[in-house]
Amino acid sequence: MINDKPRVRFAPSPTGYLHVGGLRTALYNYLFARKSGGKFILRIEDTDKNRFVEGAMENLIETLKWIGLDYDEGPNVSGDYGPYIQSQRLDFYQKYSNELLEKGKAYYCFCTAERLENLREEQKKLKLPQAMYDKHCLSLSKEQINKNLDNGVPYVIRLNVEKKGTVLFDDIIRSRVEFDCSTIDDQVLIKSDGYPTYHLANVIDDHLMKITHVIRGEEWLSSTPKHVLLYDYFGWEKPIFAHLPLLLNPDKSKLSKRQGDVAVEDYRDKGYLKEAIINFIALLGWSGKDNKEFFLLDELIQEFSIEKVHKAGAVFNVEKLNWLNSEHIKYKPNEEILYMLKKEIENSNFRIEKYTDYYLIQIIDVMKERVTFIKDYLMLSPYFFEAPIDYDSNVIDKRWRPETTSHLKKLTENYDKLEHFNKDQLEETLKITAEELQIGAGKLIHPVRLAVSGIGVGPGLYEILELLSKDEVIVRLKRAMEKIKI
Ligand code: GLU
């Protein structure tokens, strides 16, 4: 190992938003660093000018901050190995590509786009398994190269891959991985715009930033032999690799935007708690002991182990995320939910000043087992915030009879007499009233629920009544008796 303490990095290319796969990579790196007392570094890989998106880096950093994955070194945070944005490190790439040129491990290539296209076409006709550069420019003399450079002929710099033997490396998740060198293309290292490709910049920076473990998605596995060759050609010690399994749609295809959201911010905007997102993402490729599924970030730091990450693709199952969201809501102290609920109310048509904190906390308690999102407090039980303006017609058809109004009248009178408007009294009074009327309690319970809430489902009726309080319940009962006509 290069250092005593691990140094790992999350190295996104800022192309718009933080992808859930990117978050998984960031999270596993973070957990690994925190557990081992190492450092977690953020490096922005922005050397592809064609893919530059204004504000993407800021958005990415903001999303990481929101979700709580703080990094020890990176943009906006000091560190000894900066700058941490690749477009600010071009001198390094120049210097090291020159070193490879001198060693004969890289070469100038002046081939035109047209020649490369023809080459690809020819290789296609020959049914070669993959298009590969034919090392045409490797045979250029020093004089020819200098002449071209003096004349300003556009060029790229390519890796000079020796096409024999194999490249071997160990991967924590995949064990030993082997690639045949004859399948490795002479990768472009410096593009014609003078910028490095991902491969060159990535290896140089991992080396200069003393990265000990490269933990990244499986889609980079096929790039790794090129990286290994680069380490060898530079004479540098390699980091330890760990390639994380692919994320899959429920139909086992590769996770794609077509089948749902892939941006972390979309999940945030839909009202998922960061704790639930972290918990869910952690389980995409790793599982805890005894099938435990509910994890807080601190517990993940304790229990996570990169060696236990699976090889098989991990299915992104939104139902599980929903379940975890509801579990994390249940787990949170009421005061925290109160804060979030108030924000939700402020953004709704309800008027926040109408409700005391005490009242809202009671709603939180009563509904806690039923909500998946904070907004569900408003969606599932709007009647706690406003009296119903209409009544579910299905429930009316099923539960409201011609005699219901007179039954409710009796109950309303009895409720009005109550001194203590609490659950027990409300239940007892309802039962006594039903007996007086010689009807089953259900003949009152369902209409009362409909009268006070406008719908047929919800938490316990007596809890709702107690919470709404006497005056409000009486008003609602009277209004329903007037309005519901069958
Ligand atoms: N810039 C690459 C990405 O966007 C980094 C891959 C790696 O971690 O090496 O994911």
Side-chain angles (χ1 to χ4, degrees):
M1 198 168 290
I2 304 167
N3 280 12
D4 291 338
K5 293 272 182 216
R7 290 176 56 82
V8 293
R9 82 314 189 264
F10 174 46
S13 301
T15 52
Y17 53 83
L18 178 57
H19 189 282
V20 286
L23 177 60
R24 202 261 316 256
T25 301
L27 177 63
Y28 283 14
N29 275 286
Y30 173 89
L31 296 174
F32 181 76
R34 292 290 170 269
K35 184 164 185 180
S36 58
K39 293 273 190 258
F40 173 56
I41 294 145
L42 175 67
R43 182 173 74 226
I44 302 295
E45 302 209 324
D46 61 344
T47 59
D48 190 347
K49 287 199 283 184
N50 298 327
R51 291 172 76 200
F52 178 78
V53 177
E54 184 74 46
M57 179 179 86
E58 291 73 13
N59 184 40
L60 208 136
I61 291 177
E62 202 251 321
T63 311
L64 280 180
K65 196 168 161 196
W66 171 73
I67 204 110
L69 299 187
D70 49 315
Y71 46 89
D72 306 306
E73 295 172 29
N76 308 336
V77 176
S78 57
D80 295 340
Y81 303 92
Y84 293 92
I85 301 176
Q86 286 190 328
S87 58
Q88 297 172 8
R89 301 174 58 82
L90 299 180
D91 291 350
F92 289 116
Y93 312 132
Q94 208 60 53
K95 172 178 166 216
Y96 286 103
S97 61
N98 285 338
E99 187 180 316
L100 287 180
L101 284 169
E102 277 159 27
K103 287 183 170 171
K105 297 297 183 192
Y107 59 96
Y108 288 101
C109 171
F110 300 93
C111 287
T112 59
E114 200 189 340
R115 178 174 188 277
L116 294 175
E117 186 50 43
N118 289 340
L119 183 64
R120 262 194 294 273
E121 283 305 314
E122 261 173 54
Q123 294 182 340
K124 220 164 140 188
K125 270 189 221 145
L126 292 171
K127 297 217 164 31
L128 296 186
Q130 70 191 100
M132 283 227 259
Y133 184 62
D134 60 356
K135 289 191 185 282
H136 175 77
C137 287
L138 187 59
S139 55
L140 293 178
S141 68
K142 239 196 164 91
E143 290 68 42
Q144 280 170 307
I145 293 171
N146 286 337
K147 203 170 129 211
N148 281 346
L149 293 177
D150 288 346
N151 290 339
V153 180
Y155 67 87
V156 299
I157 297 176
R158 288 185 183 272
L159 183 65
N160 186 9
V161 178
E162 258 190 81
K163 307 279 181 200
K164 56 173 201 263
T166 50
V167 175
L168 282 178
F169 58 90
D170 288 318
D171 185 287
I172 298 181
I173 297 159
R174 271 143 235 281
S175 322
R176 181 140 278 213
V177 185
E178 197 172 331
F179 280 86
D180 194 332
C181 285
S182 64
T183 63
I184 304 172
D185 197 9
D186 281 6
Q187 178 66 48
V188 172
L189 301 177
I190 298 278
K191 294 176 279 187
S192 56
D193 61 4
Y195 272 59
T197 53
Y198 152 71
H199 306 282
L200 181 72
N202 188 272
V203 167
I204 292 176
D205 286 347
D206 282 346
H207 171 71
L208 294 180
M209 293 180 182
K210 296 197 162 51
I211 298 303
T212 57
H213 297 72
V214 167
I215 302 171
R216 63 184 169 201
E218 183 179 308
E219 61 272 29
W220 302 102
L221 187 65
S222 59
S223 299
T224 308
K226 294 173 190 170
H227 300 179
V228 170
L229 287 179
L230 277 167
Y231 284 104
D232 287 349
Y233 294 169
F234 278 122
W236 293 339
E237 189 177 345
K238 286 183 277 294
I240 295 166
F241 294 101
H243 287 91
L244 310 175
L246 287 178
L247 298 187
L248 308 175
N249 292 309
D251 68 3
K252 301 282 162 74
S253 58
K254 192 171 172 221
L255 186 68
S256 68
K257 214 177 168 128
R258 263 178 301 123
Q259 294 200 28
D261 292 313
V262 290
V264 175
E265 61 199 272
D266 290 339
Y267 289 93
R268 177 191 60 194
D269 296 347
K270 281 188 173 165
Y272 289 97
L273 302 182
K274 59 183 180 189
E275 291 84 352
I277 298 177
I278 288 281
N279 189 163
F280 173 69
I281 294 282
L283 299 176
L284 293 174
W286 171 84
S287 35
K289 268 196 280 235
D290 307 325
N291 290 330
K292 175 175 151 99
E293 303 225 275
F294 181 90
F295 285 98
L296 301 172
L297 187 57
D298 283 347
E299 295 172 320
L300 287 170
I301 294 173
Q302 290 304 317
E303 291 199 26
F304 180 77
S305 127
I306 193 79
E307 283 81 16
K308 295 251 169 69
V309 172
H310 320 145
K311 240 192 286 196
V315 175
F316 193 96
N317 175 350
V318 176
E319 264 105 64
K320 183 154 174 189
L321 174 58
N322 290 343
W323 173 74
L324 283 169
N325 211 52
S326 64
E327 290 298 301
H328 280 274
I329 288 181
K330 272 184 232 161
Y331 179 82
K332 270 192 181 296
N334 285 350
E335 289 64 37
E336 246 182 87
I337 305 280
L338 175 67
Y339 176 79
M340 292 188 271
L341 177 58
K342 282 169 113 173
K343 274 200 174 159
E344 207 62 60
I345 298 173
E346 275 162 15
N347 293 327
S348 74
N349 292 328
F350 297 122
R351 296 208 338 262
I352 184 82
E353 65 280 4
K354 283 174 58 181
Y355 322 106
T356 62
D357 285 1
Y358 177 70
Y359 181 66
L360 294 176
I361 292 267
Q362 283 175 288
I363 300 175
I364 289 169
D365 255 341
V366 167
M367 291 298 292
K368 217 169 192 177
E369 293 293 323
R370 297 172 173 264
V371 297
T372 301
F373 298 99
I374 299 294
K375 61 175 181 273
D376 285 348
Y377 282 107
L378 309 184
M379 311 286 283
L380 299 180
S381 54
Y383 47 84
F384 284 130
F385 303 92
E386 289 291 356
I389 31 178
D390 38 43
Y391 305 90
D392 185 333
S393 56
N394 291 326
V395 185
I396 298 178
D397 289 349
K398 207 162 152 213
R399 306 288 188 190
W400 206 277
R401 297 284 166 262
E403 61 280 12
T404 300
T405 308
S406 69
H407 292 162
L408 279 193
K409 201 159 168 259
K410 183 84 203 141
L411 181 71
T412 309
E413 281 165 20
N414 288 346
Y415 272 176
D416 207 8
K417 284 185 219 142
L418 278 180
E419 230 175 276
H420 301 290
F421 207 73
N422 59 35
K423 271 191 298 196
D424 295 343
Q425 292 288 308
L426 287 159
E427 181 169 5
E428 204 185 311
T429 307
L430 186 137
K431 281 191 179 141
I432 292 170
T433 310
E435 272 165 29
E436 280 173 19
L437 295 167
Q438 297 186 332
I439 56 173
K443 292 254 175 343
L444 287 173
I445 290 173
H446 299 294
V448 173
R449 180 186 287 283
L450 182 68
V452 296
S453 72
I455 55 178
V457 289
L461 174 66
Y462 307 111
E463 284 175 293
I464 299 180
L465 299 179
E466 180 178 335
L467 220 165
L468 287 173
S469 81
K470 184 167 163 182
D471 292 351
E472 183 65 23
V473 169
I474 303 290
V475 168
R476 291 190 188 190
L477 284 169
K478 287 184 175 162
R479 192 177 308 140
M481 287 187 276
E482 266 167 41
K483 286 183 76 175
I484 302 176
K485 301 271 180 271
I486 52 163

